[in-house]
Amino acid sequence: MNLEDPATESSDQRGKPLHLGIEPHLRGLLGWGIQRVRTAPQFSGVDSSGVDSSSVQAAATSKGSLEQQAATVAECRDCDLCETRNMTAFGVGDPSADLLLVGDAPAEEEDRCGEPFVGPAGQLLDRMIAALGLSRDRVYITNVLKCRPPENRQPQPEEVAACQGYLEAQIDQLKPTMIVALGRTAACWFTGQETSLANMRGQGHIWRGIPVVATYHPAFLLGQPQFKAECWHDLQRVIEALGLTPPGPRA
Ligand code: URA
């Protein structure tokens, strides 16, 4: 990545004041050993899928406010998950938050409540967010899929493809300063890579001008708590880049 490259600089003209100052984040991310920068389709002109970027942007904008998007998602029948879901889980939190956290798909409790990350994984996520010095209502939380896959199985490629426009439009509205991809499905979505989470962790990624940190999914950490230290290492990067003040040690 060339920080002096005007294409890189102009890749953050999305209107939110904090975004105008992305360069410090990029410089911070360079210190993490950035290996790959995914240039925003709307800035490079042509989406990697062959779709013209201006039409991608126009389609996202035409999807309207988050409330309108959530209403559209609630009616969605674009893949088979609509047959088995109880509720869609669109997103929760502060729409003007700097930090967006993205998991893979709603699980049982989320399908019942219509809110992402309210079950056991959500409770761990809440603690991870607290460790950043933030709270659930000061970030925004969503998933790659808005509907629960039966038996909590892995999202299928056709389901991810069917839901892709919703997450794109959602991020277009949210304009976060930084994104944390929780688990492999979200990390693959943002990086465009089909590889292990291990290969995507510890690198700086950029999605449409927004820095993305890939780390472990809280559900994985519930079963494999020995990886929490590595996750915390990843979250340190969020703290540094956003200038957060985590809570100090308990007295
Ligand atoms: N796992 C996710 O990825 N998202 C949720 O909302 C719940 C569990």
Side-chain angles (χ1 to χ4, degrees), residues 184-207:
R184 182 177 177 275
T185 297
C188 290
W189 195 95
F190 283 106
T191 64
Q193 298 178 25
E194 276 299 323
T195 185
S196 67
L197 181 67
N199 285 338
M200 293 180 276
R201 278 190 61 247
Q203 298 182 30
H205 304 283
I206 307 280
W207 185 84

Side-chain angles (χ1 to χ4, degrees), residues 216-232:
Y216 296 106
H217 194 288
F220 170 79
L221 294 175
L222 285 174
Q224 306 278 337
Q226 68 272 26
F227 288 96
K228 282 184 183 175
E230 288 182 36
C231 178
W232 178 238

Side-chain angles (χ1 to χ4, degrees), residues 125-245:
L125 181 61
D126 287 351
R127 294 203 294 277
M128 291 159 63
I129 292 167
L132 294 173
L134 294 170
S135 55
R136 194 174 168 89
D137 58 359
R138 291 183 58 201
V139 300
Y140 197 91
I141 305 170
T142 190
N143 286 303
V144 171
L145 297 190
K146 310 307 186 204
C147 296
R148 179 194 183 198
E151 312 302 328
N152 298 346
R153 63 157 169 73
Q154 285 298 303
Q156 299 299 299
E158 61 274 17
E159 295 159 357
V160 173
C163 237
Q164 177 167 339
Y166 294 131
L167 182 53
E168 286 176 345
Q170 203 171 15
I171 300 173
D172 195 52
Q173 281 290 326
L174 293 166
K175 297 181 170 49
T177 302
M178 187 158 218
I179 296 170
V180 173
L182 299 162
R184 182 177 177 275
T185 297
C188 290
W189 195 95
F190 283 106
T191 64
Q193 298 178 25
E194 276 299 323
T195 185
S196 67
L197 181 67
N199 285 338
M200 293 180 276
R201 278 190 61 247
Q203 298 182 30
H205 304 283
I206 307 280
W207 185 84
R208 298 192 181 180
I210 307 170
V212 176
V213 173
T215 193
Y216 296 106
H217 194 288
F220 170 79
L221 294 175
L222 285 174
Q224 306 278 337
Q226 68 272 26
F227 288 96
K228 282 184 183 175
E230 288 182 36
C231 178
W232 178 238
H233 190 258
D234 298 334
L235 296 182
Q236 298 283 331
R237 295 165 170 175
V238 178
I239 290 169
E240 283 167 28
L242 293 185
L244 298 173
T245 310

Side-chain angles (χ1 to χ4, degrees), residues 103-107 110 116-117 121 143 217:
D104 48 29
E110 292 78 16
F117 282 102
N143 286 303
H217 194 288

